[in-house]
Amino acid sequence: MEYKVEAHRIMSISLGKIYNSRVQRGGIKLHKNLLVSLVLRSARQVYLSDYYSGVCLNTQHVEAKEWELMDSNQEKPLTPAPEESLSPSTDCNQNPVVPEDPEVQHTSQAVEDSTDLHSVYSKHQAEEESSSEDSTTDVSLTSSPVTCESQCEAKGAEVSSSDCEADANPATVTEGNSQQPPKAHSCSNRKRTAEKTASNDSPVKRTKVTSSNSSEEEAEEMDTGNVSNLITIFGSSFSGLLTKESSEPEAETEDSDSGSGQICCDQMLKNLNPWSTAIVAF
Amino acid sequence: MCVCSLCVSAPRAAAGVGGGNDFQWCFSQVKGAIDEDVAEADIISTVEFNYSGELLATGDKGGRVVIFQREQESKNRPLSRGEYNVYSTFQSHEPEFDYLKSLEIEEKINKIRWLPQQNAAHFLLSTNDKTIKLWKISERDKRAEGYNLKDEDGRLRDPFRISTLRVPVLMPMDLMVEASPRRIFANAHTYHINSISVNSDHETYLSADDLRINLWHLEITDRSFNIVDIKPANMEELTEVITAAECHPHQCNVFVYSSSKGTIRLCDMRAAALCDRHSKFFEEPEDPSSRSFFSEIISSISDVKFSHSGRYMMTRDYLSVKVWDLNMENRPVETYQVHEYLRSKLCSLYENDCIFDKFECCWNGSDSAIMTGSYNNFFRMFDRNTRRDITLEASRENSKPRATLKPRKVCTGGKRKKDEISVDSLDFNKKILHTAWHPKENVIAVAATNNLYIFQDKMN
């Protein structure tokens, strides 16, 4: 667990750096932000793998099977990958709105997200494979970075609206779990909810997912008061780095990733967004 | 065995001499304010000797360039031993504002590169993040007097008062050094320029930013050739950036560029107009046992320099300096650890941003020694032949004239010996990023924040 704490700390620091880089004189430094995002990705992987393996070990297997069934567009052989089951493409066109993100973040429903995260993650990954151009939805994406980010981050997939939508689905699933008591229980609940492919209420769900992060307190410090700014500032997630460089490790850590992505905190996700936004801005 | 003609083999070992053929480095001069409060604009951001070593240029964060000239050693002042004094100071770049992106463009001078001297004037290229300028530094020691149409103070004379015609005469005047911008190479870089390098043909030069490298002709400012472009179609797929680039010292068709992934690509401009495909690819396999969160950051190359011979090149990453043989791509021929004791502190260095510091490195004139900077105002020299290394410090305390520098040592653990400094006591705000070695003699210039230290090898 020490690794998890350390990884989370590094993620928070990285997010802070990316955020601060926007206000630095001379503009955003591409090189430094690239390196920071690499660290962020590494920390996230560790965080997710550590968290997931420690928390949802049992549900992981169950979920994996279920997700595999749902997986249709999956290009990669994701073990727990719940991939496209939620038909992301159709969802993509919807722009999730997450006005209550700030508040949601403060709620902590850490563990329950794990299973959903996983599904979301895999879904996200699937999304990534088949994601369409998301440029037009950048703005809308920013509005719900928190919810989308976890998935985006886990996957490193591009934050296309489709991705967000896909995530939203799992998120809605978790909503039902939000009232549940933590961890193991929520995991199983999530699994069930994830099976529902209703594409609704993605923003709501997302916020819950993101806020469920138990370690959110640290993240909260960072984005308290900045959430809305971050949301608007950050655009699509920096999926490129994640997908290209970690395609293999991602496959392994998918399970953990899905959980970690959301658990890690919206901040992290948001941070990924600013990076991509910064890049896109170039 | 060093065959360098400049090598001074002292008969005695003396005070831990090392790092380059028994050099004994002595303090010579220090330039800059002594003030503890350092203005950000005064922080030196680049140091460069010209081809003869007679001139030494520094650029700072405030966009200014200061050029020092070495005094000719004369019988009148035997103790001066070739001191560097201010020759010219000018404002090279001003802060600008990019209206389209709503970004401020820093005036910080990223690099200065001298052009080979072709006439009485000196030319140098200076660059900030976006714009490169060619400056002409010329001396004026004569002035024309006796104009017909204007007075000595410049006022126009009343034409009706002019009754005779005279020829202006050149009269001596106090030496005045003028710097004038002769060319301005602008609007060619979307990203931040990190390197410029003058080609051996003395007609062209290259400029590199994070994703592109452009080739310019020194006479033409309104266009440049893009010779390397690593920008991906989708920016979200970005995985590496260009960190440094340099032209080969003798082959005008060859250049190298380093990346943030720790790789170096050598390109031949004869092969294609766009050199996206490298001719040689230099990469050392990563040691999996040393992998950490920060492996990628510390492998990013911050500087690449060809040796004077053109046979080798040197790269600097965060913890080490590597010498590569251009004929061998799979690993460097030499690796020198600069401050390996920082490897366990990478997390703290990441937090305080020190891990992003871009250290430079340089060769001596004979390519037998290399030098690079570290923290706590330490700098390191490595002798390639004897494999000895030395750590020296640039500080005001060691600034007595011609005082020999005492080797420093960092205690990495266990009992700290006398005169050693522990890793935790290092001052990470005092960093030496920029150093330069005289092209022919054993004179080095070390930039420590806002001060420029000049050290010389003790002569016989």
Side-chain angles (χ1 to χ4, degrees):
Chain A
M1 293 307 278
E2 288 177 5
Y3 298 106
K4 179 169 175 260
V5 171
E6 180 71 6
H8 188 275
R9 194 171 75 88
I10 291 176
M11 288 193 308
S12 302
I13 294 169
S14 303
L15 290 178
K17 287 189 191 300
I18 294 180
Y19 182 67
N20 289 332
S21 72
R22 299 183 58 86
V23 300
Q24 271 170 5
R25 198 166 165 252
I28 299 167
K29 292 182 174 39
L30 190 65
H31 185 202
K32 181 178 176 183
N33 278 276
L34 180 67
L35 296 177
V36 171
S37 65
L38 291 178
V39 171
L40 186 59
R41 186 171 59 87
S42 302
R44 193 176 64 82
Q45 285 177 354
V46 169
Y47 186 89
L48 291 176
S49 63
D50 188 61
Y51 178 87
Y52 191 83
S53 60
V55 175
C56 299
L57 209 50
N58 294 333
T59 58
Q60 185 173 346
H61 299 301
V62 182
E63 276 187 333
K65 289 176 187 166
E66 294 186 4
W67 289 122
E68 279 168 347
L69 291 176
M70 302 166 74
D71 185 1
S72 55
N73 303 332
Q74 193 62 19
E75 291 181 19
K76 295 179 190 174
L78 303 174
T79 41
E83 274 96 32
E84 287 84 39
S85 55
L86 303 178
S87 57
S89 54
T90 54
D91 295 336
C92 292
N93 295 329
Q94 300 173 19
N95 296 328
V97 178
V98 188
E100 62 271 31
D101 274 352
E103 299 130 27
V104 178
Q105 292 176 5
H106 295 291
T107 59
S108 59
Q109 299 181 358
V111 186
E112 58 181 329
D113 292 331
S114 58
T115 55
D116 285 327
L117 289 175
H118 182 62
S119 59
V120 173
Y121 179 79
S122 45
K123 183 188 170 119
H124 201 63
Q125 199 160 26
E127 291 288 355
E128 190 180 325
E129 306 298 335
S130 58
S131 67
S132 51
E133 195 63 51
D134 66 340
S135 54
T136 56
T137 58
D138 273 358
V139 176
S140 58
L141 288 176
T142 56
S143 65
S144 61
V146 174
T147 54
C148 291
E149 292 185 19
S150 58
Q151 287 141 12
C152 298
E153 282 193 358
K155 205 52 204 200
E158 302 178 28
V159 177
S160 53
S161 55
S162 59
D163 288 341
C164 288
E165 291 299 330
D167 294 337
N169 289 331
T172 50
V173 174
T174 54
E175 264 192 326
N177 296 333
S178 56
Q179 287 87 29
Q180 302 285 350
K183 299 217 177 177
H185 194 47
S186 56
C187 284
S188 50
N189 286 336
R190 280 176 184 273
K191 204 171 49 169
R192 268 180 264 120
T193 52
E195 292 173 10
K196 304 172 192 168
T197 59
S199 59
N200 54 344
D201 236 353
S202 53
V204 178
K205 189 174 180 69
R206 285 177 172 282
T207 56
K208 280 185 185 260
V209 174
T210 56
S211 60
S212 62
N213 193 343
S214 55
S215 54
E216 197 125 347
E217 286 79 357
E218 294 177 51
E220 290 176 18
E221 291 174 42
M222 287 183 60
D223 55 356
T224 304
N226 290 333
V227 173
S228 50
N229 290 338
L230 289 173
I231 292 176
T232 50
I233 288 171
F234 301 155
S236 56
S237 65
F238 197 25
S239 55
L241 280 186
L242 297 176
T243 45
K244 282 205 170 4
E245 293 186 23
S246 61
S247 53
E248 287 174 10
E250 288 288 19
E252 293 173 352
T253 58
E254 261 186 319
D255 298 348
S256 56
D257 272 350
S258 59
S260 58
Q262 296 182 358
I263 294 175
C264 275
C265 59
D266 302 331
Q267 279 188 346
M268 264 199 17
L269 298 175
K270 284 186 291 189
N271 290 332
L272 285 186
N273 278 346
W275 169 236
S276 53
T277 307
I279 296 177
V280 172
F282 275 110
Chain B
M1 180 65 183
C2 174
V3 296
C4 160
S5 59
L6 301 173
C7 175
V8 178
S9 297
R12 55 188 167 88
V17 170
N21 314 317
D22 296 346
F23 290 150
Q24 280 204 41
W25 292 103
C26 307
F27 171 81
S28 174
Q29 297 171 274
V30 59
K31 309 286 188 188
I34 309 175
D35 220 13
E36 275 298 313
D37 284 336
V38 179
E40 171 133 4
D42 292 335
I43 296 175
I44 298 171
S45 52
T46 184
V47 182
E48 187 82 358
F49 280 99
N50 74 336
Y51 280 75
S52 64
E54 179 207 356
L55 297 177
L56 175 62
T58 63
D60 63 22
K61 281 195 174 182
R64 292 165 301 205
V65 172
V66 179
I67 301 176
F68 302 91
Q69 184 188 41
R70 199 175 196 192
E71 296 295 336
Q72 298 301 321
E73 294 191 32
S74 65
K75 297 197 185 69
N76 299 341
R77 299 182 59 215
L79 296 181
S80 72
R81 282 179 65 227
E83 279 187 351
Y84 283 87
N85 296 322
V86 177
Y87 180 64
S88 173
T89 303
F90 56 93
Q91 185 77 33
S92 171
H93 286 73
E94 298 273 2
E96 290 174 48
F97 195 76
D98 181 337
Y99 299 100
L100 287 179
K101 295 182 187 169
S102 294
L103 292 175
E104 196 178 359
I105 300 171
E106 279 190 287
E107 67 276 26
K108 172 169 81 94
I109 307 294
N110 291 333
K111 284 287 184 318
I112 289 176
R113 289 288 182 262
W114 289 92
L115 265 58
Q117 192 174 9
Q118 288 167 334
N119 51 34
H122 299 277
F123 289 87
L124 62 79
L125 287 169
S126 70
T127 184
N128 68 347
D129 284 339
K130 298 286 183 181
T131 306
I132 306 138
K133 295 188 183 180
L134 175 70
W135 288 88
K136 176 181 177 184
I137 297 100
S138 51
E139 294 182 4
R140 183 193 291 262
D141 60 357
K142 296 183 187 56
R143 182 179 56 200
E145 289 180 13
Y147 283 102
N148 292 291
L149 295 177
K150 60 178 178 178
D151 289 336
E152 296 310 318
D153 51 8
R155 282 182 306 181
L156 292 175
R157 291 170 73 191
D158 186 357
F160 295 110
R161 297 266 187 86
I162 301 172
S163 53
T164 61
L165 197 62
R166 57 183 180 177
V167 176
V169 179
L170 288 176
M171 303 294 291
M173 59 178 266
D174 291 337
L175 178 66
M176 190 166 70
V177 180
E178 296 174 323
S180 59
R182 305 302 287 180
R183 306 272 187 276
I184 296 182
F185 305 91
N187 302 322
H189 286 281
T190 308
Y191 305 94
H192 297 316
I193 297 174
N194 53 54
S195 310
I196 49 174
S197 179
V198 182
N199 210 344
S200 54
D201 60 10
H202 301 166
E203 283 187 355
T204 57
Y205 74 96
L206 62 76
S207 60
D209 66 26
D210 291 321
L211 297 178
R212 299 191 177 101
I213 301 179
N214 292 334
L215 183 72
W216 301 82
H217 191 283
L218 285 165
E219 299 290 331
I220 301 169
T221 60
D222 61 354
R223 68 204 113 110
S224 67
F225 286 104
N226 174 243
I227 53 178
V228 172
D229 188 344
I230 65 168
K231 182 180 176 185
N234 182 1
M235 275 297 274
E236 299 204 345
E237 296 169 358
L238 183 71
T239 56
E240 65 180 329
V241 296
I242 296 169
T243 52
E246 198 181 37
C247 291
H248 192 277
H250 308 311
Q251 298 170 29
C252 58
N253 55 298
V254 172
F255 67 95
V256 293
Y257 67 93
S258 61
S259 82
S260 56
K261 276 190 175 174
T263 64
I264 308 102
R265 289 171 176 82
L266 184 144
C267 300
D268 188 335
M269 288 189 267
R270 297 171 301 186
L274 191 59
C275 299
D276 277 358
R277 288 210 314 220
H278 51 264
S279 298
K280 295 199 182 194
F281 182 73
F282 299 84
E283 183 180 32
E284 182 174 31
E286 188 193 358
D287 178 15
S289 63
S290 64
R291 185 142 180 86
S292 76
F293 283 134
F294 311 103
S295 298
E296 282 140 334
I297 298 190
I298 63 171
S299 67
S300 175
I301 291 174
S302 53
D303 193 19
V304 64
K305 290 265 172 47
F306 277 107
S307 64
H308 292 91
S309 63
R311 165 86 189 270
Y312 300 94
M313 68 176 174
M314 164 169 58
T315 58
R316 174 76 156 97
D317 50 69
Y318 190 65
L319 296 179
S320 67
V321 180
K322 295 177 181 174
V323 176
W324 302 78
D325 185 326
L326 292 189
N327 299 320
M328 187 161 76
E329 299 170 51
N330 59 348
R331 60 177 175 84
V333 290
E334 295 156 30
T335 302
Y336 301 95
Q337 300 301 331
V338 180
H339 36 219
E340 184 68 14
Y341 46 79
L342 295 183
R343 192 179 286 274
S344 55
K345 312 270 180 206
L346 292 181
C347 194
S348 315
L349 294 167
Y350 178 71
E351 284 184 58
N352 62 15
D353 273 358
C354 282
I355 205 172
F356 301 106
D357 287 334
K358 295 191 175 148
F359 291 94
E360 291 175 9
C361 52
C362 60
W363 299 85
N364 71 339
S366 61
D367 298 337
S368 64
I370 57 182
M371 170 169 65
T372 188
S374 179
Y375 292 104
N376 208 71
N377 277 355
F378 287 170
F379 57 100
R380 304 261 284 140
M381 278 189 196
F382 303 94
D383 184 333
R384 296 181 61 214
N385 299 320
T386 65
R387 294 305 174 108
R388 284 191 296 189
D389 61 89
I390 189 169
T391 304
L392 299 170
E393 183 181 1
S395 72
R396 293 273 176 176
E397 287 74 35
N398 304 332
S399 303
K400 299 191 184 57
R402 292 183 301 286
T404 303
L405 293 182
K406 196 174 65 168
R408 302 306 307 261
K409 194 154 168 55
V410 176
C411 165
T412 54
K415 212 159 146 54
R416 186 177 77 88
K417 299 194 189 69
K418 182 171 168 285
D419 286 348
E420 282 186 1
I421 183 166
S422 72
V423 180
D424 299 315
S425 310
L426 294 174
D427 187 345
F428 289 95
N429 292 320
K430 292 184 182 173
K431 52 191 85 169
I432 292 181
L433 304 174
H434 312 286
T435 60
W437 204 311
H438 190 290
K440 297 184 175 62
E441 297 181 25
N442 290 330
V443 177
I444 55 175
V446 172
T449 319
N450 63 330
N451 289 327
L452 182 72
Y453 288 82
I454 300 174
F455 302 105
Q456 294 192 20
D457 181 33
K458 192 170 263 183
M459 303 290 204
N460 285 332

